[in-house]
Amino acid sequence: MKKFFIFALLCAAAAAQASLLTDMTDSLKGVGAIEMDIDQQKNIALFDEPIRSRLRIWVCMSGKMRIENLEPFRSLSIFDGEKLARYEFQNGSWKKLTEANPELAKRIFGQMSGVYTGKIDSGEYDVEEKGSSLTLTPKNAAVKNFIEKIIIETGRDGAKTLAKKITVIDADGDSTAMNIDSCKLLSEEPKIFDTESPEANLKGRRP
């Protein structure tokens, strides 16, 4: 669950307090869900080259989430608002993994989806806004053991202000950058959050 914890912190970062947050939340009024294609790059001191992966993420305003790792391997997390199911793609089919603690999953995914609904307590971070970016430093001592700071870079998509890149600087100096290559705002929730049916209603939604 460590990567979920880190990812939750990463996403919670965008729920800052200044005008950028207001612009982002206003941009999402009337939206049912967000669909994103992400190029993730992790820089680890032990390796000469960054570790890259491709993700597709769906976030609903209701708090549901679907995170699908597409490359270099396939894995899947589905959160239906109450419980979390995790899968790995093995031998041509999805294999369900051990269930996560439901209360922990709800807390983490609540933070992750909260960046898009504005339901994040920014009191957890010291926030600095500069231009179109936000830099957040965690206040919690336990979180500081993992995260030094989080940088959110926003951009305009027509009349809307959306997150374009999120970078997490770890306490040990490693970093993870998530470049949001594309972002679709959907008027309704897609029906792809059945924790027992990972392939349900995905026709036409594959990259």
Side-chain angles (χ1 to χ4, degrees), residues 2 5-6 9 142-148 169-172:
K2 180 182 176 181
F5 176 69
I6 293 176
L9 294 172
V143 175
K144 288 181 179 180
N145 290 330
F146 296 98
I147 303 295
E148 177 184 334
I169 310 298
D170 297 343
D172 60 6

Side-chain angles (χ1 to χ4, degrees), residues 113-125:
S113 64
V115 62
Y116 304 106
T117 61
K119 298 178 181 178
I120 296 293
D121 181 5
S122 60
E124 295 291 332
Y125 300 91

Side-chain angles (χ1 to χ4, degrees), residues 15-57:
Q17 45 181 278
S19 59
L20 284 179
L21 175 61
T22 302
D23 289 346
M24 292 172 69
T25 53
D26 286 349
S27 295
L28 296 171
K29 288 180 178 178
V31 173
I34 304 170
E35 178 181 327
M36 295 171 288
D37 287 326
I38 292 174
D39 178 13
Q40 180 173 278
Q41 180 173 300
K42 187 168 184 63
N43 294 287
I44 301 176
L46 293 175
F47 300 99
D48 294 331
E49 298 293 330
I51 300 173
R52 304 191 70 166
S53 57
R54 293 289 302 172
L55 308 175
R56 176 161 285 189
I57 299 176

Side-chain angles (χ1 to χ4, degrees), residues 11 15 37 60 65 86 112 120 132 145 152 166-167 187 192 207:
C11 289
D37 287 326
C60 294
M65 288 193 70
R86 297 178 295 158
M112 291 165 66
I120 296 293
S132 60
N145 290 330
I152 309 299
I166 305 173
T167 304
S187 59
I192 56 173

